[in-house]
Amino acid sequence: MKPLAYFLHILLEERGLREKLDQSRIPEIFRSIVGEAAFRKIESLSFTNGELVIRVSSPVWRIELRLRAEKIRHHINSQLGNSLVEKVTVV
């Protein structure tokens, strides 16, 4: 007998919903990476075609996040268990 999670995983894969579920987790994972103070400086997060775009109003935070972009990408993908995020752009 297999656990319910196994069948849920198969259903998500068959329906093509796994990627959408992973995309919905990106803001939560991003917040855990940068912390609450930095997350409050974010105007918006968007994800399209493998690119995570982070819009920041503060020039200081923009520079900081640009310096950490590759680490952010790596950590998000690590948490998701796949390479969904191919690029992080900070504007």
Side-chain angles (χ1 to χ4, degrees), residues 68-81:
R68 295 174 61 189
E70 184 57 27
K71 286 183 180 181
I72 290 169
R73 184 191 70 76
H74 176 75
H75 191 72
I76 290 172
N77 287 336
S78 176
Q79 290 290 314
L80 293 175

Side-chain angles (χ1 to χ4, degrees), residues 56 58-69 90-91:
V56 186
S58 166
V60 173
W61 280 109
R62 188 176 306 120
I63 292 168
E64 175 68 23
L65 292 174
R66 282 181 181 162
L67 291 172
R68 295 174 61 189
V90 182
V91 292

Side-chain angles (χ1 to χ4, degrees), residues 25-36 39 45 68 72 75-76 79:
R25 293 184 52 214
I26 290 174
E28 168 193 331
I29 295 169
F30 178 78
R31 179 184 289 196
S32 73
I33 296 167
V34 300
E36 193 62 38
F39 191 76
L45 287 174
R68 295 174 61 189
I72 290 169
H75 191 72
I76 290 172
Q79 290 290 314

Side-chain angles (χ1 to χ4, degrees), residues 41-46 53-57 62 89-91:
K41 301 293 183 186
I42 304 302
E43 290 180 355
S44 67
L45 287 174
S46 61
V53 178
I54 306 165
R55 186 170 300 279
V56 186
S57 58
R62 188 176 306 120
T89 303
V90 182
V91 292

